[in-house]
Amino acid sequence: DAGVIQSPRHEVTEMGQEVTLRCKPISGHDYLFWYRQTMMRGLELLIYFNNNVPIDDSGMPEDRFSAKMPNASFSTLKIQPSEPRDSAVYFCASGASENEQFFGPGTRLTVL
Amino acid sequence: KQEVTQIPAALSVPEGENLVLNCSFTDSAIYNLQWFRQDPGKGLTSLLLIQSSQREQTSGRLNASLDKSSGRSTLYIAASQPGDSATYLCAVNTGFQKLVFGTGTRLLVSP
């Protein structure tokens, strides 16, 4: 398996633009997670899905953030409109039941 | 609210030394604890997972211990190598797969 795949790896956009981050989890994993990492706040869980259903989105900072998982092999995290304070590295991770979480390489987002 | 702290924040050692990284958490009601490694500009690599019922896990030169009652875990690295240089993160699973991450320890192993 190729592991968790994220795209794009880097994204530079201007304030106010829509940003869509993509994730393909490891096949067979029933959990998918979106995290954000910043110098100030470290790694924070934004939202996670179980069997494609959002379970906990309490970490989503604002209504500008939304996430979907239309099927078991694909998820998106969308920011609309983007702001400079959204600049961070966004990680997707997947896991199976009570086991380890496996992280993707991350998307480095810069909002100018 | 679960809080996870790692000490030290940074550590610099010469190659060959054995070292211990510390992780403490405030709420002992955890499902498991996971140690990760993060290289600069890269994602996280899972190193070891300890279930709440376990006391330790070993993988190669790495050994992780868990004392749930005292809210502590340690990661022991034997015979450190320059390739071990990275940031090490511990994360506790508070239930329903929610991970709370520690602040990390930046390790530098010099040749």
Side-chain angles (χ1 to χ4, degrees):
Chain A
D1 200 315
V4 177
I5 299 172
Q6 291 187 248
S7 64
R9 295 293 310 277
H10 302 273
E11 178 79 31
V12 180
T13 190
E14 293 188 347
M15 182 174 62
Q17 297 297 306
E18 177 180 295
V19 175
T20 300
L21 311 181
R22 297 172 176 78
C23 174
K24 176 180 169 56
I26 294 173
S27 177
H29 283 183
D30 51 356
Y31 285 88
L32 183 138
F33 309 83
W34 283 100
Y35 291 89
R36 179 171 67 176
Q37 186 176 39
T38 61
M39 288 294 292
M40 291 296 295
R41 301 174 67 90
L43 260 166
E44 302 174 288
L45 177 66
L46 300 177
I47 183 172
Y48 79 95
F49 296 82
N50 180 219
N51 292 321
N52 311 337
V53 176
I55 302 301
D56 187 337
D57 65 355
S58 60
M60 297 285 261
E62 299 172 33
D63 291 345
R64 298 184 296 106
F65 286 70
S66 63
K68 294 182 179 180
M69 192 165 186
N71 57 62
S73 59
F74 184 66
S75 176
T76 59
L77 177 67
K78 186 176 294 187
I79 308 173
Q80 167 62 22
S82 58
E83 297 182 3
R85 60 194 167 118
D86 300 332
S87 297
V89 181
Y90 291 82
F91 288 103
C92 175
S94 69
S97 300
E98 301 298 318
N99 295 324
E100 299 166 81
Q101 292 188 20
F102 294 87
F103 281 68
T107 294
R108 182 173 296 276
L109 173 65
T110 302
V111 183
L112 303 174
Chain B
K1 178 186 175 186
Q2 178 76 266
E3 293 184 1
V4 182
T5 306
Q6 291 185 245
I7 295 173
L11 181 62
S12 183
V13 300
E15 181 177 8
E17 270 203 12
N18 302 325
L19 55 99
V20 175
L21 308 181
N22 297 291
C23 172
S24 61
F25 45 95
T26 55
D27 188 343
S28 61
I30 67 170
Y31 282 75
N32 57 49
L33 183 145
Q34 199 167 350
W35 281 92
F36 293 89
R37 167 189 174 136
Q38 185 173 27
D39 293 283
K42 301 287 182 62
L44 280 70
T45 300
S46 178
L47 298 173
L48 289 164
L49 173 77
I50 310 177
Q51 300 292 354
S52 62
S53 58
Q54 296 176 320
R55 298 285 292 184
E56 66 178 315
Q57 281 286 344
T58 298
S59 176
R61 295 183 294 109
L62 305 179
N63 175 276
S65 66
L66 174 64
D67 185 342
K68 225 174 62 161
S69 60
S70 66
R72 293 179 183 177
S73 176
T74 61
L75 179 66
Y76 175 82
I77 302 177
S80 59
Q81 302 171 357
D84 295 330
S85 299
T87 295
Y88 290 79
L89 295 157
C90 73
V92 298
N93 185 334
T94 61
F96 302 104
Q97 294 292 81
K98 294 185 70 170
L99 290 184
V100 177
F101 280 84
T103 47
T105 294
R106 292 190 313 278
L107 173 64
L108 177 63
V109 181
S110 53

